[in-house]
Amino acid sequence: MSLPSIFFHVSFIEPQAHYAEITMRIKGLQKPFIDVKMPVWAPGSYLIREYAKNIERFQVYTSSEELIPHEKISKNTWRIYSDNSDIRIRYSVYGFENSVRTNFIDDSHAFLSPVGTFMYVDDCLDYPVQVQIEMPDFWSKISTGLEKSIGLVNTYKAPNFDILFDSPIEIGNQDTWSFDIEGTLHECAMVGGGTYDKHRLTQDIRTIVAEENRIWGSNPNAYYLFITHNYQNSSGGLEHLNSTVLATSRFSYTQETTYKSYLSLIAHEYFHLWNVKRLRPKALGPFDYEAENYTTGLWIMEGFTSYYDNLIIRRCSFYDEKEYLQMLAVDFNTVYNRPGYEIQSAALASHDTWIKQYRPDENSHNTSISYYNKGAMLAAALDLKILAETGGQQRLDDVLKRAYQKFYLIENRGFEEHELMELIHQTTNVDVSEIFQAAHSLEELEYNLYFNKVGYEIVDLNTGLQPLSMGIKTINNDTRIIVKNVDRDSGAWKGGINVDDEIIAANGYRVDPTGRTIDYILTNSKEGDRVSLIVARDGLIKNLNIQLQYSNKKSLIVQRKENATAEERRLGNIWIALDQK
C-alpha cells in the first residue's frame, strides 16, 4: 500500500512585504480529523522559537474549493475536521528576521528555513513530501540540498519530513558556482554581494574539505551546498545534513583576519556534516519538533567541533602556529574570565542550552559558560592525552573516525556518553575518564598536565600583576558611562552597583567618556581602598561606596615550553601540524 502524498506549493505574491504563500495538499489520508503542526525549534539551534507566531490566514479547502472546518487547539496545532482524502491547506508565512535559522523574505530574495515554513501531519513525519516553488519573474535561481523531482519544474522531494526540515532553501538571484571535491559536488550560493574571490575561495574550501574527509575517512554526500548571506556586519552558521547556512560581512574576504575567521566558520559547519548530523547523542534524532530535546552531550558535539575548526585551519596552513595558539587561548580566556565557570559545568551548560545559551542577559556571565568554549578545552585535553600516551600514533581524529563507523555507518544509532568514553579506551588503550568526569563537574582539570606532555604550556600573563578593579564592564553611550556587567563577588557586586547604572562621578571627579578618571583612581589606589560613586539609576541619583579588590581576570596564552624534551617537541609538532603522522 502506498503512503499518502503531501505536496507543498510556495509562491510570493508580496515578497516586498515579507510574505510567502503556502498551499499544503494532503492526499490519500482519510481520518475523522487531521492535526497539522508547525515545528517550534530548529535542530542545531537549541531554543524554542515558536515559528507558529508567523502563520496567518490559515484556511482549509476540499479539492472543489469548499471550506473545511478547523480550529486551533494549541500554539502550533490546527485540527481539521474532515474525512476527505484530498484537502488543501493555505496559509501565509511572515519572514523578516536575518539569521541562519529563520525566514527572511524581501524583494531581493527569500531564505526559507523549512521548520519555520512547512507544517507536518501529526504522526506522519516519515511520509514522503514534495515542494514546488513558484518564483516571481525577477528571481531566477533556487539553491537547496533537496533532490529535484524529475519532470516537474522547480519541484523538489524528500523521503520524509526530517530531510525536508534539514534542507534550507535560498531563492533569488544569488551568485552560484560549483566544483567537485573528491567525488562530492559542492555548490556555493552567495547572497548580498561581497568582495570574495571565487578562485581563491574554491581552492581554500577544497583544502578544508580534503582535510575533513581525511579525518573521517569518507564523505557521505554526493552533493553539498554552502549558502552564505553577506551582510554589512554579521556572523554565524547553522549545520544541515548536506548543506550549511553561513553569515558574514560582505567585506570580510579582503581582510586576512576576517577571511580566516570565515574559513574557520566553514570548517566548523562542514565538520558537523559528520559530528552531530550523523555521529550524535541518542537525544538528537529522531527529533521531537514540538518540545526541547535534552542532552548533556553538546560539549562533545559543539565543543569538539569548535576545537577542530581552528585546528583544521592550522593543518591547512591558513593559520601559522602563533595564530592558531592565539585562537586556542581564546577558549580558555573566555571560560575562565566568566565567573559562571564556577557555577555551571559543560554538561549542565549542554542540558540548559534551551534556557541559557540563546537567552543571555546581564547576569549570564556570572551564572553560565558556553559548551562551545569549554567543550573545545576538554577536546584539547583528550587530543593531547591520546597523542602523548600513544607516542603520537593515535589522536582524537582516530577516535572520531572509529565512532562514526561504529555508531553511524554500522549500527545507525545515537550514542551515550559512556559509550564514547569506552570506545576511546578500546581504540587507544588510554583512560580518559577524568576528562569526561570533568565535563560533569565544577572541578577544573590541570590543563598544563596535558599541554606539557607535548611541549607546550598555558601561561597567565597577569600572574603577579594584581591590577585593581571594581568588577564592572561599561560602555560609552552618547558620552554617558553605562554599566553593562557586574562580576560576581567583586567590589561592585558587594557594593550594589547595578547593570544600566550611569556612573556620573567617582571620588568627587566628573567621570569622562574615555574612562580616564576611573583609570586614574584604580592606578593610584591600593587594595581595600574605597571609591565614592555617584550614579543615576532610573532617573534617581544614588551614592555608592565601592571597595577595590584585585582583579582575577586572566590573560592566558599557549606557548612552547622552554625546557621541553625532544620527545615532547616531537609530539607537539604532530599536534600543531608541523609533522603530520
Side-chain angles (χ1 to χ4, degrees):
M1 179 182 294
S2 61
L3 290 173
S5 65
I6 299 177
F7 186 94
F8 289 96
H9 178 271
V10 181
S11 62
F12 302 91
I13 299 173
E14 297 181 299
Q16 83 290 345
H18 320 301
Y19 280 96
E21 310 301 327
I22 313 296
T23 298
M24 178 184 186
R25 183 179 182 184
I26 305 170
K27 191 174 182 180
L29 185 65
Q30 204 155 7
K31 292 183 175 181
F33 64 85
I34 297 172
D35 287 345
V36 293
K37 297 176 175 288
M38 176 65 72
V40 302
W41 70 286
S45 182
Y46 307 100
L47 175 69
I48 300 298
R49 297 189 181 275
E50 311 295 16
Y51 290 111
K53 69 179 184 286
N54 294 317
I55 301 303
E56 301 175 16
R57 294 178 284 182
F58 183 98
Q59 294 291 341
V60 189
Y61 300 86
T62 66
S63 58
S64 57
E65 294 297 307
E66 296 175 348
L67 277 171
I68 295 175
H70 71 274
E71 66 173 323
K72 193 172 185 181
I73 61 171
S74 73
K75 65 181 182 179
N76 69 317
T77 306
W78 290 258
R79 177 162 290 174
I80 301 166
Y81 296 99
S82 174
D83 59 0
N84 197 306
S85 63
D86 187 359
I87 66 172
R88 290 161 175 80
I89 302 167
R90 296 189 186 124
Y91 58 93
S92 300
V93 177
Y94 180 78
F96 195 55
E97 183 179 349
N98 272 321
S99 83
V100 295
R101 63 193 69 84
T102 51
N103 290 330
F104 182 89
I105 305 162
D106 68 7
D107 57 4
S108 67
H109 78 112
F111 171 68
L112 299 184
S113 175
V115 287
T117 306
F118 302 114
M119 297 185 180
Y120 65 95
V121 178
D122 191 25
D123 294 327
C124 297
L125 284 169
D126 56 344
Y127 283 19
V129 59
Q130 286 187 304
V131 176
Q132 184 178 61
I133 298 170
E134 182 180 345
M135 292 188 291
D137 293 338
F138 43 85
W139 293 348
S140 61
K141 294 181 181 178
I142 301 171
S143 299
T144 180
L146 290 169
E147 184 181 352
K148 289 184 177 179
S149 295
I150 298 174
L152 296 175
V153 177
N154 294 339
T155 303
Y156 303 84
K157 62 182 179 180
N160 53 57
F161 275 83
D162 287 320
I163 300 298
L164 174 64
F165 288 155
D166 210 14
S167 303
I169 305 171
E170 178 65 40
I171 311 162
N173 299 307
Q174 58 271 24
D175 183 17
T176 60
W177 70 96
S178 301
F179 42 92
D180 182 273
I181 305 175
E182 299 180 351
T184 300
L185 181 65
H186 291 72
E187 179 179 347
C188 287
M190 289 287 190
V191 183
T195 56
Y196 50 88
D197 179 326
K198 291 184 185 180
H199 176 74
R200 180 187 183 188
L201 184 55
T202 297
Q203 291 305 115
D204 291 347
I205 292 175
R206 285 182 182 278
T207 305
I208 292 168
V209 170
E211 172 59 21
E212 297 199 14
N213 284 345
R214 187 192 68 79
I215 293 169
W216 294 96
S218 62
N219 194 307
N221 287 320
Y223 171 82
Y224 191 90
L225 170 66
F226 297 96
I227 299 173
T228 300
H229 291 148
N230 293 287
Y231 301 105
Q232 184 175 19
N233 185 24
S234 185
S235 63
L238 185 62
E239 71 275 4
H240 297 280
L241 199 63
N242 67 344
S243 63
T244 185
V245 185
L246 311 169
T248 190
S249 165
R250 61 177 58 93
F251 307 114
S252 63
Y253 308 95
T254 50
Q255 301 174 20
E256 284 302 301
T257 300
T258 53
Y259 178 64
K260 290 175 184 178
S261 294
Y262 175 68
L263 293 181
S264 180
L265 178 62
I266 288 175
H268 183 105
E269 302 304 338
Y270 201 84
F271 201 82
H272 276 315
L273 184 162
W274 297 273
N275 195 44
V276 89
K277 298 313 300 185
R278 291 169 175 85
L279 175 64
R280 58 172 178 78
K282 282 186 177 179
L284 296 184
F287 294 115
D288 179 352
Y289 294 100
E290 286 197 275
E292 296 87 343
N293 291 226
Y294 292 105
T295 176
T296 58
L298 292 179
W299 68 273
I300 299 172
M301 311 322 299
E302 289 293 355
F304 283 26
T305 304
S306 294
Y307 171 65
Y308 269 97
D309 53 23
N310 288 320
L311 184 60
I312 287 165
I313 298 305
R314 166 62 199 139
R315 290 182 185 178
C316 294
S317 298
F318 301 130
Y319 282 148
D320 61 25
E321 179 181 352
K322 180 180 179 181
E323 288 174 312
Y324 170 65
L325 295 177
Q326 287 174 339
M327 298 306 297
L328 181 60
V330 167
D331 290 313
F332 286 85
N333 282 299
T334 300
V335 170
Y336 287 139
N337 284 324
R338 288 175 69 103
Y341 87 89
E342 295 182 318
I343 302 292
Q344 189 182 58
S345 68
L348 184 57
S350 302
H351 189 273
D352 280 353
T353 182
W354 298 94
I355 56 175
K356 287 184 180 287
Q357 175 70 19
Y358 296 95
R359 290 177 176 169
D361 60 27
E362 69 284 347
N363 199 40
S364 291
H365 76 295
N366 286 318
T367 64
S368 64
I369 58 170
S370 168
Y371 47 79
Y372 286 82
N373 305 115
K374 189 60 178 290
M377 293 163 56
L378 294 163
L382 283 168
D383 197 17
L384 298 178
K385 180 164 187 176
I386 295 168
L387 265 171
E389 295 196 17
T390 63
Q393 293 303 303
Q394 292 182 301
R395 62 183 308 173
L396 191 54
D397 295 29
D398 303 283
V399 172
L400 292 178
K401 182 178 179 180
R402 172 80 184 278
Y404 173 66
Q405 292 170 341
K406 173 181 172 58
F407 296 120
Y408 177 71
L409 293 179
I410 297 173
E411 299 179 10
N412 192 27
R413 66 176 178 88
F415 64 85
E416 302 284 2
E417 285 184 50
H418 72 87
E419 292 181 302
L420 181 61
M421 183 179 69
E422 292 162 3
L423 182 139
I424 293 175
H425 186 262
Q426 294 166 5
T427 304
T428 66
N429 201 32
V430 176
D431 181 2
V432 294
S433 56
E434 84 276 8
I435 298 174
F436 275 75
Q437 289 168 7
H440 291 260
S441 170
L442 295 179
E443 295 295 323
E444 285 297 307
L445 294 172
E446 177 49 66
Y447 284 93
N448 268 331
L449 293 178
Y450 306 95
F451 279 96
N452 290 172
K453 290 180 179 180
V454 299
Y456 285 83
E457 62 182 351
I458 302 175
V459 175
D460 185 1
L461 297 179
N462 283 348
T463 298
L465 296 180
Q466 292 187 309
L468 292 174
S469 171
M470 286 193 289
I472 59 175
K473 181 179 179 181
T474 63
I475 62 168
N476 184 341
N477 183 2
D478 192 25
T479 74
R480 298 186 305 147
I481 303 300
I482 306 298
V483 177
K484 298 311 295 181
N485 290 120
V486 179
D487 288 343
R488 180 183 295 274
D489 294 330
S490 65
W493 175 282
K494 297 171 183 175
I497 292 182
N498 286 0
V499 169
D500 292 332
D501 281 355
E502 177 191 353
I503 301 179
I504 299 173
N507 284 355
Y509 297 102
R510 181 75 164 88
V511 172
D512 68 297
T514 66
R516 287 177 296 183
T517 305
I518 293 177
D519 289 343
Y520 174 82
I521 292 172
L522 294 176
T523 303
N524 293 275
S525 301
K526 60 182 183 297
E527 183 187 20
D529 285 354
R530 290 188 172 274
V531 178
S532 176
L533 295 181
I534 298 175
V535 304
R537 180 180 301 167
D538 191 30
L540 300 177
I541 300 299
K542 289 185 172 290
N543 293 285
L544 302 176
N545 196 267
I546 307 301
Q547 187 173 35
L548 295 180
Q549 300 176 187
Y550 287 127
S551 171
N552 60 1
K553 298 298 183 184
K554 300 181 183 299
S555 179
L556 301 171
I557 62 169
V558 183
Q559 64 182 22
R560 286 185 177 270
K561 190 174 64 163
E562 288 186 6
N563 60 347
T565 66
E567 174 62 8
E568 289 170 347
R569 288 195 299 271
R570 183 185 73 84
L571 293 173
N573 288 344
I574 295 174
W575 169 57
I576 212 70
L578 295 178
D579 180 20
Q580 296 275 9
K581 74 177 182 68

